[in-house]
Amino acid sequence: MNEKLAINGGPKSIEKNFNWPVYGEPEIYAVAEIVASGKWGNPDCGDAIARFETEFAAYCGSKYAITCVNGSVSLRLALIACGVKPGDEVIVPPYTFITTASSVIECNCVPVFVDIDPDTYNISPAAIEAAITPRTKVIIPVHFGGLACDMEAIMSIAEKYNLKVIEDAAHAHGAEYKGKKLGSIGHVGSFSFQSSKNLTSGEGGIVITNDDELYAMMHSLRNVGRIEGGAWYDHYNPGCNYRITQMQAVLLSEQLKKLEAQTRTRNENGLYLNTLLEKIAGVEPLKRDEKITLHCYHIYIFKYDPAYFGGLSKADFAEMLAAEGVPSYKGYPHPLYKQPLFQNKNFMCYAIPDHVDYTNVHCPEAEKACSSDAVWILQHAMLGDKADMEAFANAILKIQSR
Ligand SMILES: *Cc1c(COP(=O)(O)O)cnc(C)c1O
């Protein structure tokens, strides 16, 4: 097998187009119907938003769901509802999208980065416990790539220190831990419906909770501080207009009908791809604890060892793999605390204490994941079939034998 690599003009390992989002006439008709009704907005024009919220809460096994404009504002709603005060500390992982941490800044709180577990790339419970101070108020575990965090350990730490847990489930729609939907285990679960996510309406977000008080506050913050049953011009809380449109809501209701089957397909494909990659020296899938009853593979991550690829850098390998037709990426180039936002403390009007200094932060496992180890295959590729998974593994072998 000494074929010319696609990056050098050779044939691709796989020619298939993996489309995302997956949609058809039901989505088109549902949106058209709302457009034709003239009732495009919330809260006084139709019930599509409330209907989707009820459907999503039921799907997750939670009491309440509140939609909002995106999966960043949803974190902000959750943090404020959890009662954080200026200067409070919020524990976050460094291997995640920016808003897991920047939403904390927006609440005038201090993101405290703790390292990830190298076997799963999720926040390490031992590192969480070591980082707790009297100022710690909230933990935001991110189910990275859709792989569940060690929620048993995280919830017991939260209970021991009286902390709130906001699950950042932006990658984790439909995934499960011990048979429970992710997002439904912590005090609040936060999701994004941005266009790359496993459930999407282009943009959008949602929070879920079982707690009546958290629900009431997040609902109020989403709706310019109004309260349920209150008068239109009575504003009680420092919220904003974070509402979605009825068009988004019906699109989400249609997409939600497909989510469980899509999740199971990705889960099966991920398990099969694990067996294929385990046979290839120099690549290794992340570990899956048996408590993970369903993985939604928003990102299928494997570890790459350049020693088995003639010293080829991860970035070059990932570029070759993408050229072979595998929807893949080299992942984050560095952990979040390396961003200029944190390094330069460019927090503008936000009141972060002077002693906070991100230039001393080091999370060696996150740094290693970014610089040399982690390669991502994207969720829409995980909706393929077994032959596609075999083609992905063969593309890796082709690069290895170059
Ligand atoms: C996408 C994402 C968000 C933010 O969602 P938006 O809807 O894009 O604002 C938050 N956290 C994680 C982990 C994400 O991947």
Side-chain angles (χ1 to χ4, degrees):
M1 193 165 70
N2 237 333
E3 258 185 304
K4 198 172 180 186
L5 295 179
I7 203 165
N8 298 327
K12 284 187 181 188
S13 297
I14 178 160
E15 290 282 357
K16 189 162 170 173
N17 274 328
F18 295 93
N19 294 318
W20 186 256
V22 177
Y23 64 95
E25 291 192 344
E27 281 83 359
I28 294 166
Y29 288 139
V31 172
E33 200 179 317
I34 293 291
V35 173
S37 76
K39 294 181 176 173
W40 302 349
N42 187 49
D44 301 316
C45 308
D47 56 5
I49 296 166
R51 191 165 60 235
F52 172 68
E53 289 171 342
T54 304
E55 290 165 0
F56 193 76
Y59 177 74
C60 295
S62 275
K63 195 165 169 191
Y64 301 111
I66 303 152
T67 51
C68 61
V69 288
N70 58 52
S72 304
V73 156
S74 56
L75 291 166
R76 182 187 185 144
L77 298 180
L79 281 162
I80 298 172
C82 284
V84 294
K85 297 285 180 297
D88 283 350
E89 293 174 0
V90 176
I91 294 177
V92 297
Y95 193 75
T96 177
F97 183 64
I98 182 75
T99 58
T100 308
S102 60
S103 62
V104 175
I105 300 287
E106 287 188 307
C107 294
N108 290 297
C109 294
V110 181
V112 173
F113 293 100
V114 313
D115 211 351
I116 54 175
D117 176 339
D119 289 337
T120 62
Y121 291 167
N122 277 330
I123 195 164
S124 151
I128 293 175
E129 190 153 16
I132 290 172
T133 75
R135 300 235 64 155
T136 309
K137 290 290 152 55
V138 174
I139 309 166
I140 309 185
V142 179
H143 304 295
F144 199 81
L147 179 72
C149 291
D150 186 349
M151 289 308 292
E152 223 163 44
I154 292 170
M155 293 313 289
S156 81
I157 292 168
E159 200 170 330
K160 184 166 162 195
Y161 296 92
N162 194 24
L163 308 175
K164 290 277 196 284
V165 174
I166 300 170
E167 296 177 71
D168 185 343
H171 292 185
H173 321 67
E176 291 175 7
Y177 176 85
K178 291 174 82 181
K180 283 190 157 176
K181 290 293 180 198
L182 297 184
S184 72
I185 302 165
H187 300 88
V188 182
S190 166
F191 298 82
S192 165
F193 302 132
Q194 181 267 346
S195 52
S196 71
K197 307 294 158 99
N198 288 23
L199 181 65
T200 180
S201 49
E203 299 286 357
I206 202 165
V207 281
I208 60 174
T209 187
N210 290 321
D211 184 295
D212 297 346
E213 280 174 33
L214 291 174
Y215 163 76
M217 182 54 93
M218 294 190 290
H219 192 280
S220 174
L221 295 170
R222 186 269 305 262
N223 194 21
V224 287
R226 292 187 187 119
I227 56 171
E228 278 191 294
W232 170 75
Y233 206 63
D234 286 352
H235 304 270
Y236 293 85
N237 295 304
C240 193
N241 175 1
Y242 294 130
R243 301 182 306 255
I244 64 167
T245 65
Q246 296 258 100
M247 284 79 90
Q248 286 166 284
V250 292
L251 207 43
L252 288 164
S253 284
E254 287 305 327
Q255 292 280 295
L256 182 60
K257 292 178 191 164
K258 303 183 168 88
L259 179 64
E260 186 65 18
Q262 288 172 336
T263 304
R264 291 187 182 275
T265 299
R266 291 192 198 92
N267 185 58
E268 287 305 308
N269 279 329
L271 289 169
Y272 184 54
L273 189 54
N274 282 351
T275 67
L276 300 176
L277 297 204
E278 274 154 12
K279 292 181 204 138
I280 303 175
V283 294
E284 188 192 347
L286 291 184
K287 295 227 161 60
R288 257 184 81 150
D289 191 283
E290 61 200 22
K291 290 179 195 137
I292 290 160
T293 43
L294 193 59
H295 188 337
C296 67
Y297 290 101
H298 177 64
I299 310 172
Y300 179 99
I301 304 177
F302 65 88
K303 290 197 199 185
Y304 169 77
D305 183 350
Y308 291 83
F309 290 78
L312 183 69
S313 77
K314 178 183 82 160
D316 288 343
F317 167 81
E319 208 179 323
M320 289 176 187
L321 191 63
E324 291 298 328
V326 181
S328 54
Y329 186 58
K330 65 179 178 186
Y332 299 132
H334 39 245
L336 265 193
Y337 52 80
K338 295 281 190 194
Q339 296 286 341
L341 170 68
F342 298 110
Q343 291 289 304
N344 305 335
K345 282 188 71 179
N346 202 10
F347 301 148
M348 316 251 209
C349 60
Y350 297 105
I352 310 302
D354 287 340
H355 66 83
V356 174
D357 180 359
Y358 291 100
T359 62
N360 315 325
V361 177
H362 283 296
C363 297
E365 297 301 346
E367 288 175 18
K368 190 160 183 289
C370 292
S371 62
S372 60
D373 288 6
V375 178
W376 298 358
I377 297 177
L378 306 176
Q379 59 93 357
H380 53 294
M382 301 307 288
L383 288 175
D385 52 30
K386 275 191 151 184
D388 297 329
M389 300 305 118
E390 287 158 12
F392 298 169
N394 286 335
I396 294 169
L397 287 169
K398 182 178 167 189
I399 296 169
Q400 192 165 52
S401 66
R402 87 199 188 286

